[in-house]
Amino acid sequence: MPPDQNLFHEALSHHLSGQFSFAEDKYRKYIENCDSLTVACTNLAALLIKKGQHHEASLFLDRALLYNPAYPEALSNQGYLNLLSSNYEQAVEFLTRSLYYKPHLQESLHHLYTIYTRTDCLQSLLPYLERALSSSFDPDILLLHAQVLYTIEGPERALQVFNESLEKSIHELLPSIYSRLGYFHLSFTRDYNRALYCFDYSITHSATPEEADLVNKGECLRLLLQLPECIKWINKCLHVHPRSVSLINLKAAVNRQAGDNNSALTLFNLALKLDSTNTQILINKALCLCDLGDIPQALSTLILTRKIDPQNAFCLQALGEIYFKNAQPVYALQSFLQSIYFNPRSFDAWDSILYFLSFTRVASTLERSKLVDSYHAALSTLPSCSFNSPSSCENRPLRVGILSAEIGNHAVSFFLESLLLSSNPDKTLFFVFPTRDRSHEKAWSTIKDSVYAFVPIYNIDDNAAHRLILDFELDVVIDTSHHMSFNRQLLLYRRLAPVQAHYIGVHGSTYLPTIDYFIGDNIITPEEFQCEFSERLVNLSRTWVSFTPPPRLPLINDAQLSNIRFGCFNNFMKITPETIELWSSVLRAFPGTSLLLKSSLPRETDDSRKSDIIASLSQAGVDPSRVEFAPYQDSWMSHMNLYNSIDISLDTLPLTSGTTAFDSLLMGVPLVAFSSPWIGGRLSHSIMNGLGRLDLVAFSTNEYLAIVGNLTEHINKKAYSRSQMRRQFLDSELCNSFSLYESFVSTLKRLHSEALSSYSNT
């Protein structure tokens, strides 16, 4: 029976309009009548690949190539399937054959780009790109050519290619070239202002602007934190393109960024109704579900995404982040490692895994070493910049810059506040550069009023920020954000001052080669920990932080509880199997006691995580009725008042208590600290040392039980007073911010002097 051409045209029409289910049905009916039709088999295979049905897709591609072995699109799709199976040699064979017949086939060039990036052979792609551009000018291939040159030769060479094309091209092509130049700035140089200019040019000079340009302009506004303007722009575009999946997804992302996760989830679901297999939207939805505390549904969504695209690096990164937050570090590490393997130059992915490494101990020494080498290889593709040479500060104040995303109601900010409020402008001038807008939070204005200069850079790209900060001629720059959200590690990589150091933020190396020092103390960063850091360890002469109590202290209730109640108000991702083992030992050793838990993070209020904790303690022999959960507290005072409901704070491990240790001691509740041999395992140890109570530090479970037993005996005999513990805390160096300032500044001056001496000698 001859094939029904109407069926084929209907299938093609549905395919091009995005109605993939209807298209698949028509293709199948068409192929039933004539199973040797190359185009139909290839198009159906492409739809099946999109759905994750790779085996069936391969069968249809075999049929397509049996009928026409030189059909480029079939060869390209077969190459892509081999790429998804990590069969790179076979993939390259199919892809290069497709380019022999059709040199400018974009899909094949992009798949080769992926393979050669992973195998570090990008140079091999250049001949194919040059041949494609010589046979037919295509702005998308121009962009890919620039991406390759950016990696191999640097940004100047890549921009030269764009400039040459702009000079040679006819007027009608300029908008499309500016569009690709905008994408290059958006994704590679991260110069969002230049990207915005390019997209504006393309949109205003095009009779019918590309939808991608409309979306990318909105993305620039989002990244520049111009959220009201971004929403206004998206709504304007949606009026013209009401069914644009990309615009709806972007609007959802803006809502999520603004903290409106419920509205964001509604929009993500709407977008998925229009395109149910869009992996980007599925990933965004999963992260939104995680923010809302629905971990099981978030994981389910990402598992579906992996079925569609097993090598999607962004999906694997999101999986790692969710496993990490759900206290499943082994699964998190596996996901992060795969994410980096499939996208080794994604600095967002590097931020995720390096932040994860600072919180956990699951990666082996060899794995860490390989990761650091790979990170440095990725950094080597970025431009390096000159910085101001050191100058003597013998007769002037030391000029210290602080880059921080935590200026606001964040633990880092509270500790910084103690340091800055005690500063002496005759000795030091502090310049604070917030990298995140938290201006609505109280601590923002407190710190702003306490420093010499306060210059937000959250809406400035790296190029502009680098020029701006260099003009201040800083002697030292302090980073507090590590690889946390809204960090500016890539800006620090360019160097902003002769001396750069990390302080307070995170308990682990940044692994950034231009961060010279990591500032700690003799307990959290002793000399024997140097092998775990790329920075040189520098220790203050006292505890590494201090706390400034508020003028109005929370009230203490010295009345004794009827039964001893333990408590821990750390965030739930610190509650690891090691923590469960320690706590269950305590609860088994002291019958009649109970445990009160409360997370410090609002997103960790979901019942599934609580159920996991209860189940783990139950398996360890603890009656679930002895474990209670307090709701998340919106205010600091209500959070602090909860300490009146417990007698003894228990530590977590391997990552021990930090901010919550200070909270507990301020409320007169003793913390029993557990010390282990890494920086994250020494935080509470250092705090108790600063308190002068090393008798509350244990190095083994038996020691821990002995200390808890001694405390419970004192409490039962009424030989213990919360008020007395608070007084000891307030009188200790933990609350002596002037001592911290003197130690901190003398350390920075010594480091600057060493840099000056080293520079003079060279």
Side-chain angles (χ1 to χ4, degrees):
M1 180 187 296
D4 183 350
Q5 292 301 320
N6 287 332
L7 265 179
F8 175 74
H9 289 301
E10 286 178 31
L12 192 59
S13 176
H14 286 310
H15 195 161
L16 294 174
S17 64
Q19 297 174 298
F20 300 132
S21 296
F22 291 114
E24 180 184 344
D25 181 58
K26 298 292 183 182
Y27 280 134
R28 287 185 184 276
K29 288 179 179 177
Y30 181 61
I31 291 168
E32 282 175 10
N33 295 328
C34 185
D35 63 4
S36 63
L37 295 174
T38 304
V39 177
C41 286
T42 302
N43 288 354
L44 177 56
L47 292 176
L48 293 171
I49 291 171
K50 186 176 175 65
K51 291 174 65 178
Q53 297 171 219
H54 298 156
H55 177 69
E56 190 178 6
S58 182
L59 295 177
F60 277 108
L61 289 172
D62 287 341
R63 290 162 70 177
L65 291 170
L66 185 65
Y67 182 70
N68 183 359
Y71 189 57
E73 283 76 6
L75 290 165
S76 180
N77 280 324
Q78 197 67 280
Y80 180 53
L81 284 176
N82 278 278
L83 163 60
L84 291 177
S85 302
S86 298
N87 187 357
Y88 296 148
E89 187 175 344
Q90 192 71 27
V92 168
E93 183 179 335
F94 277 111
L95 294 170
T96 52
R97 277 174 59 197
S98 74
L99 291 171
Y100 176 81
Y101 297 111
K102 192 173 182 179
H104 55 278
L105 185 57
Q106 284 187 36
E107 290 80 4
S108 291
L109 291 167
H110 279 282
H111 297 330
L112 280 176
Y113 175 79
T114 299
I115 294 170
Y116 288 145
T117 297
R118 292 177 187 171
T119 56
D120 203 22
C121 299
L122 267 181
Q123 193 82 32
S124 302
L125 185 58
L126 285 175
Y128 295 102
L129 291 169
E130 289 161 1
R131 181 177 175 227
L133 288 169
S134 64
S135 67
S136 172
F137 179 78
D138 186 319
D140 288 318
I141 297 176
L142 171 69
L143 171 61
L144 187 58
H145 189 210
Q147 291 175 208
V148 173
L149 291 174
Y150 174 85
T151 303
I152 296 173
E153 300 182 34
E156 292 81 7
R157 179 70 182 96
L159 290 171
Q160 182 185 347
V161 167
F162 278 113
N163 291 333
E164 289 171 354
S165 297
L166 288 170
E167 290 172 3
K168 296 176 183 177
S169 296
I170 58 174
H171 181 73
E172 288 75 10
L173 282 176
L174 291 180
S176 61
I177 296 175
Y178 269 105
S179 168
R180 276 60 178 184
L181 178 57
Y183 182 82
F184 179 77
H185 282 306
L186 174 63
S187 302
F188 290 87
T189 68
R190 299 192 181 199
D191 191 336
Y192 304 134
N193 285 300
R194 288 190 184 182
L196 186 59
Y197 169 82
C198 292
F199 291 130
D200 271 331
Y201 181 96
S202 179
I203 292 166
T204 55
H205 289 78
S206 300
T208 306
E210 295 181 37
E211 186 181 316
D213 287 345
L214 304 178
V215 174
N216 286 332
K217 175 179 177 177
E219 179 67 2
C220 287
L221 292 169
R222 184 183 76 83
L223 292 169
L224 289 168
L225 302 181
Q226 299 176 23
L227 300 189
E229 294 88 342
C230 183
I231 287 291
K232 184 178 178 181
W233 171 252
I234 294 170
N235 288 336
K236 179 181 177 181
C237 296
L238 281 171
H239 185 72
V240 181
H241 304 279
R243 294 177 62 84
S244 168
V245 170
S246 298
L247 285 167
I248 296 170
N249 177 55
L250 178 59
K251 186 173 182 178
V254 174
N255 281 336
R256 177 174 173 246
Q257 186 172 338
D260 188 355
N261 284 302
N262 289 307
S263 296
L265 185 60
T266 300
L267 287 167
F268 286 135
N269 285 330
L270 174 61
L272 287 169
K273 283 184 180 179
L274 298 172
D275 186 357
S276 62
T277 58
N278 188 305
T279 54
Q280 181 185 5
I281 301 170
L282 285 166
I283 294 166
N284 287 342
K285 176 184 175 180
L287 292 171
C288 186
L289 287 165
C290 181
D291 290 342
L292 289 166
D294 193 346
I295 300 294
Q297 192 60 41
L299 289 172
S300 175
T301 303
L302 290 176
I303 289 168
L304 170 63
T305 310
R306 283 212 69 190
K307 182 181 177 184
I308 297 169
D309 185 357
Q311 296 184 359
N312 189 305
F314 302 105
C315 174
L316 290 161
Q317 180 186 344
L319 264 175
E321 290 173 0
I322 292 175
Y323 281 133
F324 176 31
K325 291 170 184 173
N326 203 39
Q328 295 175 280
V330 175
Y331 291 132
L333 178 62
Q334 291 172 354
S335 299
F336 283 137
L337 289 174
Q338 290 179 68
S339 170
I340 291 298
Y341 174 76
F342 291 126
N343 194 0
R345 291 184 174 87
S346 168
F347 289 103
D348 287 336
W350 278 115
D351 281 340
S352 291
I353 193 167
L354 294 173
Y355 178 65
F356 166 79
L357 290 178
S358 71
F359 268 84
T360 62
R361 303 295 288 167
V362 294
S364 68
T365 302
L366 180 60
E367 284 173 325
R368 281 177 180 264
S369 178
K370 287 182 177 179
L371 280 169
V372 173
D373 288 344
S374 298
Y375 178 51
H376 289 173
L379 287 170
S380 68
T381 65
L382 299 177
S384 58
C385 297
S386 59
F387 61 96
N388 299 321
S389 57
S391 61
S392 173
C393 61
E394 187 175 342
N395 298 312
R396 62 172 176 82
L398 190 71
R399 300 168 70 86
V400 181
I402 299 175
L403 261 69
S404 179
E406 297 79 46
I407 304 299
N409 296 341
H410 190 284
V412 167
S413 192
F414 294 131
F415 291 126
L416 269 182
E417 194 176 304
S418 292
L419 177 69
L420 298 174
L421 289 174
S422 302
S423 65
N424 179 351
D426 293 331
K427 291 184 177 181
T428 47
L429 298 177
F430 282 105
F431 302 73
V432 172
F433 303 95
T435 63
R436 179 180 184 178
D437 183 10
R438 306 177 80 135
S439 54
H440 59 287
E441 298 173 11
K442 182 182 176 183
W444 177 280
S445 57
T446 303
I447 288 182
K448 181 179 180 180
D449 294 340
S450 67
V451 297
Y452 181 76
F454 190 87
V455 186
I457 59 169
Y458 50 78
N459 59 353
I460 302 176
D461 62 72
D462 283 356
N463 290 327
H466 186 257
R467 292 191 296 269
L468 172 73
I469 295 173
L470 283 185
D471 285 343
F472 286 105
E473 298 183 338
L474 302 173
D475 300 306
V476 180
V477 163
I478 300 295
D479 159 61
T480 71
S481 300
H482 198 267
H483 292 279
M484 293 190 285
S485 300
F486 298 92
N487 75 76
R488 299 299 285 269
Q489 293 291 296
L490 299 186
L491 179 57
L492 288 157
Y493 179 68
R494 300 182 179 205
R495 268 217 181 268
L496 302 169
V499 175
Q500 298 192 148
H502 178 79
Y503 175 60
I504 295 181
V506 174
H507 14 270
S509 177
T510 65
Y511 296 113
L512 196 71
T514 54
I515 299 288
D516 309 299
Y517 302 100
F518 190 103
I519 300 174
D521 63 36
N522 290 329
I523 290 180
I524 64 168
T525 49
E527 187 178 341
E528 58 264 30
F529 287 4
Q530 181 62 68
C531 60
E532 298 184 14
F533 290 79
S534 63
E535 306 88 350
R536 177 180 150 197
L537 296 180
V538 175
N539 293 331
L540 303 182
S541 57
R542 45 147 291 151
T543 309
W544 89 106
V545 289
S546 75
F547 172 76
T548 300
R552 176 172 161 254
L553 294 177
L555 295 177
I556 280 180
N557 182 5
D558 263 321
Q560 187 174 345
L561 302 175
S562 56
N563 292 300
I564 296 291
R565 181 191 264 175
F566 304 111
C568 180
F569 299 161
N570 280 302
N571 65 65
F572 288 168
M573 73 178 181
K574 284 189 174 184
I575 303 178
T576 61
E578 299 98 316
T579 303
I580 294 291
E581 184 179 346
L582 178 67
W583 290 355
S584 60
S585 297
V586 171
L587 291 169
R588 289 196 306 267
F590 300 96
T593 61
S594 60
L595 174 64
L596 178 65
L597 302 176
K598 180 195 75 71
S599 175
S600 59
L601 300 177
R603 67 168 176 264
E604 293 187 330
T605 56
D606 60 294
D607 291 335
S608 63
R609 185 70 186 107
K610 294 175 185 176
S611 298
D612 290 342
I613 294 169
I614 289 286
S616 298
L617 286 167
S618 180
Q619 288 174 6
V622 176
D623 185 340
S625 65
R626 297 174 65 189
V627 184
E628 304 168 72
F629 290 89
Y632 173 77
Q633 304 296 309
D634 289 323
S635 74
W636 182 75
M637 276 294 187
S638 59
H639 159 72
M640 297 301 282
N641 188 53
L642 272 179
Y643 281 97
N644 285 318
S645 304
I646 64 174
D647 297 290
I648 299 170
S649 287
L650 299 183
D651 214 348
T652 52
L653 61 149
L655 181 60
T656 57
S657 303
T659 310
T660 51
F662 281 86
D663 291 344
S664 183
L665 297 175
L666 180 62
M667 294 304 293
V669 177
L671 167 73
V672 184
F674 196 105
S675 183
S676 57
W678 72 292
I679 178 175
R682 295 284 190 92
L683 303 179
S684 56
H685 180 177
S686 177
I687 292 167
M688 302 316 286
N689 178 65
L691 180 67
R693 292 297 302 270
L694 285 175
D695 59 306
L696 295 179
V697 179
F699 296 86
S700 68
T701 301
N702 287 339
E703 287 184 21
Y704 203 87
L705 294 175
I707 295 170
V708 171
N710 186 49
L711 281 173
T712 57
E713 185 178 344
H714 277 71
I715 292 170
N716 287 329
K717 290 180 177 179
K718 299 183 179 180
Y720 164 81
S721 162
R722 292 173 187 257
S723 299
Q724 186 178 7
M725 174 63 79
R726 171 184 275 187
R727 176 47 51 199
Q728 184 177 7
F729 170 66
L730 294 175
D731 290 342
S732 73
E733 72 172 29
L734 296 178
C735 296
N736 188 340
S737 57
F738 293 100
S739 163
L740 174 67
Y741 170 75
E742 291 296 332
S743 178
F744 188 76
V745 171
S746 65
T747 299
L748 294 190
K749 284 189 173 182
R750 174 169 58 83
L751 299 180
H752 179 262
S753 177
E754 289 176 7
L756 181 62
S757 175
S758 175
Y759 183 81
S760 300
N761 291 336
T762 56

